[in-house]
Amino acid sequence: MNVTLVEINIKPERVDEFLDVFRANHEGALTEPGNLRFDVLQDPDVATRFYIYEAYKDDAAVLAHKKTPHYLACVEKLDEMMSEPRKKRSFVGLLPKV
């Protein structure tokens, strides 16, 4: 299992727009055959900081996600909304076994 944790910091005036744009990516990701989980989390202490927890069955599923229209549309719009570059950490998911 391939798990990625992405930190996204958004300009305060763009939070609502970010949620609209990212909702489409979230909903699209949930329909992908290799997707196991796609959570959008907001930091309770920093309202402009979001974490995306993505779990895919394997690297091929991650690559397929990055070619989808919903992912490409989201990434295209994100840059202008962010207050700093995204931070990504990748992990090997051990449990639960898929």
Side-chain angles (χ1 to χ4, degrees):
M1 179 170 41
N2 181 310
V3 176
T4 304
L5 184 62
V6 183
E7 178 183 327
I8 303 174
N9 290 280
I10 299 297
K11 296 172 186 171
E13 68 277 12
R14 307 293 289 269
V15 168
D16 290 339
E17 182 184 0
F18 164 76
L19 291 172
D20 287 340
V21 166
F22 215 87
R23 183 174 290 109
N25 187 32
H26 164 76
E27 290 172 354
L30 294 178
T31 68
E32 297 169 29
N35 179 269
L36 302 171
R37 191 162 190 102
F38 199 97
D39 296 345
V40 179
L41 312 167
Q42 186 176 35
D43 189 316
D45 298 320
V46 183
T48 57
R49 181 171 298 141
F50 297 87
Y51 293 93
I52 314 305
Y53 180 89
E54 307 174 27
Y56 285 87
K57 69 177 188 175
D58 54 27
D59 292 343
V62 173
L63 292 175
H65 168 65
K66 292 183 178 182
K67 294 177 183 175
T68 62
H70 51 267
Y71 172 83
L72 295 171
C74 181
V75 170
E76 181 182 326
K77 295 174 185 173
L78 269 183
D79 282 344
E80 63 190 36
M81 290 185 254
M82 293 187 303
S83 58
E84 61 185 72
R86 289 179 288 167
K87 299 172 188 154
K88 292 183 182 184
R89 297 270 325 258
S90 293
F91 303 89
V92 175
L94 302 178
L95 296 172
K97 287 202 174 260
V98 230

